[in-house]
Amino acid sequence: MLGKGRKVSGRGETVTANYAFGPAEDDAIIKHRLLTRTTTTRGEPPLKKLQRKFTSFVLEVEKDEENYNDCAKLSKAFLQELSTFEIPLLKSKAVIDANLREKENFNELKDEINRQISLVQTDIEELKKQLEESKIERQHKEECEAIRKLISAQPPRSETQKSIREIEKEIAALEAENTAGSRLLELRKKQFALLLHV
């Protein structure tokens, strides 16, 4: 990568990031470096170095000469290079094992989070039901309050009963007066009929 986006001082604007390679090329380079155990683009890759030392050792062994010292030196150099090459592999294996454990922990954590999410969703559904019930209860209370206000606007029961008794007395008086009037009318009719007869 050549450079990443930086803030321009004083303006707060960002410069577009410029990359030497695209994502696909980046992945291929990383994969190649992991396979060849190279971390930089300079120098001889460790795998080629190991191969060169092994080839030198084999060529020396295949000679029909008394070259035990040279073979021992080349063997020692090869084994040393092999040991050097093995260390990053062991590191990589440790990293892989740690990543696998981390992945397992992540999956357990994910399962736990999903379980908690389902519990929370159940709680949300329950709370929605309670909210609907509360709305209905509140509506009933508001209706009851409106009825209570209507009732409180009416006069007290004692006054109403007193008014009813007074009206009943007036009705009774009017009925008595009506009965008396009817009798008087009947009497007048009889008197008038008698007068006409005479």
Side-chain angles (χ1 to χ4, degrees):
M1 284 180 266
L2 288 177
K4 295 187 178 179
R6 289 182 295 133
K7 283 197 173 183
V8 177
S9 59
R11 291 186 157 210
E13 299 172 356
T14 54
V15 175
T16 312
N18 296 316
Y19 298 101
F21 305 105
E25 292 89 358
D26 244 1
D27 288 346
I29 291 167
I30 290 168
K31 185 176 179 182
H32 176 72
R33 285 182 183 177
L34 287 172
L35 288 174
T36 58
R37 308 299 308 155
T38 58
T39 54
T40 62
T41 53
R42 289 184 291 243
E44 190 178 13
L47 192 58
K48 282 193 177 179
K49 224 190 234 185
L50 183 68
Q51 182 186 2
R52 191 168 43 77
K53 299 246 178 189
F54 179 71
T55 307
S56 301
F57 170 65
V58 169
L59 289 173
E60 194 65 36
V61 169
E62 287 179 349
K63 290 180 183 175
D64 292 331
E65 301 168 8
E66 296 284 327
N67 54 357
Y68 296 116
N69 288 336
D70 293 339
C71 286
K73 283 179 187 177
L74 289 171
S75 168
K76 187 177 179 183
F78 168 69
L79 290 174
Q80 188 175 359
E81 191 64 36
L82 186 64
S83 173
T84 305
F85 187 78
E86 187 182 16
I87 290 170
L89 292 177
L90 292 172
K91 284 182 183 176
S92 297
K93 186 178 183 308
V95 168
I96 288 168
D97 292 343
N99 285 342
L100 288 173
R101 285 193 303 273
E102 194 64 31
K103 183 182 175 188
E104 192 176 322
N105 290 340
F106 173 77
N107 287 336
E108 288 175 6
L109 184 63
K110 183 180 171 187
D111 292 342
E112 177 64 21
I113 289 170
N114 286 337
R115 189 182 64 79
Q116 288 179 359
I117 286 171
S118 65
L119 286 174
V120 168
Q121 284 175 339
T122 307
D123 289 346
I124 288 170
E125 291 301 318
E126 186 65 30
L127 289 171
K128 279 183 182 176
K129 287 179 185 174
Q130 288 179 8
L131 180 63
E132 288 302 316
E133 290 172 2
S134 297
K135 282 181 180 176
I136 293 168
E137 188 178 342
R138 182 178 177 183
Q139 187 179 356
H140 289 167
K141 283 182 179 177
E142 286 174 356
E143 289 172 0
C144 289
E145 183 64 22
I147 293 169
R148 189 192 66 75
K149 284 180 181 176
L150 284 173
I151 291 170
S152 65
Q154 303 302 318
R157 187 182 184 102
S158 59
E159 287 182 17
T160 307
Q161 286 178 338
K162 184 179 177 183
S163 299
I164 290 170
R165 282 195 296 272
E166 287 175 1
I167 291 169
E168 284 174 349
K169 284 178 185 176
E170 286 179 19
I171 290 170
L174 290 171
E175 283 178 350
E177 192 178 323
N178 188 25
T179 305
S182 296
R183 285 183 188 159
L184 183 61
L185 186 61
E186 283 296 319
L187 181 63
R188 294 283 184 247
K189 278 185 185 177
K190 286 179 185 176
Q191 287 175 351
F192 186 67
L194 182 63
L195 182 64
L196 285 175
H197 182 67
V198 171

